[in-house]
Amino acid sequence: MWNPIDALLGLFSLDIGIDLGTATTLVCVRGKGIVIHEPSWVAIDRRTRRVLAVGEAAKEMVGRTPAHIVAIRPLRDGVISEFEVTREMIGEFIRKAHQQVPVPVPRPRVVVGIPSGVTEVERRAVHDACLAAGARAAFLIEEPLAAAIGIGLPVAEARGSMVVDIGGGTTEVAVFALGGIVVGRSVRVAGDEMDEAIINYMRQRYNLLIGERMAERVKIEIGSAYPLPEERTMVVRGRNLVTGLPDALEVSSIEIREALREVISIIVDAVKSVLDETPPELVADIMETGIAVVGGGAQLKGLAQRLTEETRIRCWVPPDPVSAVAMGAARVLEDLDTWHQALTSLDRGRPARSPVRIGQPIAR
């Protein structure tokens, strides 16, 4: 329903694209680029359910709070697990994006990236959370398609393109042509499972219990999916499960690569499965353009080389793989009429507007 007040406030609000990730949320403002890049953490007071901190400030509280304060991630595997907390987080990010804009209550149009494998209920939860957070209009787009648009792949053409989007909670693999996804697969194995694999390896191999933040540091500094030109080492600190006392030991990138082996294999199998289902004409196009690897997981050392070796197709990482989805979402808002059919509706994953087929009469 049209609201004149929302329409007036919308004149002074900024259109924004949001990559609502399990681990990190990025906000891209049309014409300004990425303005927010913060962890998807929220700190709340258990007694009053009041939000105390959002983003980086909330993540700093992890493991350092009294009993009545808890820091949580309101999204799991790319979907909302805590609706009220997610609404507060989105609302805070919308307000931060409008700090330099003289509007008392921002009412922006929002395009949000969602995993391609989510259910209708999960899609509606994201849509409703954005409206409840202050958006006057909310549109959904599948993350791999948004990423392809964000890095400039010719997804609207008859040529085939392919993207592997490795986030915190999900890995999305998709082949595009004529503005839509031809073949796609979503697996709930990504960066979080890599961290968990490192934690399990250290516990089983060395009886050393480490936290999620230490596991993430190990993954970033010495984690790899392919043998490195020069293998590295790192000191890992945690609690010895035998003595119960603090302990530290040095591990190598070879060991961490072994710890990540199973997770990487699942991602590789997903890519191979999508290629196996792709029509041969599109496979020929992909062999020319290569496979784009985006998302935070794309920064894992040697991952592109591993995928290239396994698929026999050149895999490449764009200059800024993390912001691809948010940039693509903002680009869709710049030309909403052109990209409208790429948006996901709330009805069984159909596009928001059905494309016209050759020979089909146009409704007048």
Side-chain angles (χ1 to χ4, degrees), residues 196-359:
E196 188 66 29
I198 293 172
I199 292 173
N200 291 336
Y201 181 86
M202 299 303 297
R203 182 172 61 240
Q204 295 169 6
R205 180 74 182 271
Y206 296 108
N207 288 319
L208 186 71
L209 181 63
I210 64 173
E212 292 180 3
R213 297 182 68 177
M214 175 57 71
E216 186 178 22
R217 279 185 55 198
V218 172
K219 177 183 67 177
I220 293 171
E221 293 190 23
I222 64 172
S224 66
Y226 196 78
L228 301 176
E230 184 176 345
E231 301 294 348
R232 306 180 183 180
T233 60
M234 176 183 174
V235 175
V236 180
R237 296 177 176 86
R239 187 176 77 243
N240 191 301
L241 292 173
V242 176
T243 64
L245 300 175
D247 197 3
L249 56 89
E250 189 175 54
V251 296
S252 70
S253 54
I254 299 174
E255 293 177 284
I256 301 305
R257 187 161 58 250
E258 174 63 24
L260 297 175
R261 179 176 55 83
E262 186 175 346
V263 175
I264 300 300
S265 295
I266 294 173
I267 295 173
V268 169
D269 289 343
V271 175
K272 287 181 176 180
S273 177
V274 169
L275 285 171
D276 183 53
E277 299 174 18
T278 303
E281 292 83 359
L282 296 182
V283 171
D285 295 335
I286 295 169
M287 291 179 71
E288 292 182 8
T289 59
I291 300 172
V293 187
V294 301
Q299 299 175 106
L300 183 69
K301 300 175 183 64
L303 181 58
Q305 293 94 315
R306 172 71 183 276
L307 288 172
T308 299
E309 183 180 88
E310 295 278 357
T311 62
R312 300 181 183 178
I313 298 176
R314 179 179 64 90
C315 298
W316 54 279
V317 180
D320 190 2
V322 178
S323 64
V325 173
M327 294 289 287
R331 192 167 294 175
V332 167
L333 273 174
E334 292 177 6
D335 195 357
L336 201 56
D337 290 336
T338 299
W339 292 109
H340 197 279
Q341 70 178 38
L343 299 174
T344 301
S345 76
L346 300 178
D347 181 20
R348 299 179 184 176
R350 294 174 183 171
R353 180 188 298 166
S354 299
V356 177
R357 293 181 173 83
I358 296 175

Side-chain angles (χ1 to χ4, degrees), residues 37-52:
H37 182 178
E38 295 198 28
S40 301
W41 283 88
V42 179
I44 59 175
D45 189 322
R46 288 178 184 268
R47 298 172 299 192
T48 62
R49 298 295 294 177
R50 186 168 63 92
V51 173
L52 304 177

Side-chain angles (χ1 to χ4, degrees), residues 18-22 25 40-44 49 51 53-55 72-76 78-95 112-114 122-134:
I18 300 178
D19 178 7
L20 194 62
T22 304
T25 295
S40 301
W41 283 88
V42 179
I44 59 175
R49 298 295 294 177
V51 173
V54 173
I72 63 172
R73 292 200 300 184
L75 294 106
R76 287 291 175 187
V79 297
I80 293 176
S81 59
E82 296 278 350
F83 181 85
E84 298 294 334
V85 179
T86 303
R87 181 196 65 191
E88 294 292 336
M89 183 178 74
I90 295 174
E92 178 62 22
F93 287 148
I94 288 176
R95 287 188 289 273
V112 184
I114 58 171
E122 292 165 342
R123 285 194 298 273
R124 186 168 292 280
V126 175
H127 178 268
D128 293 348
C130 291
L131 295 181

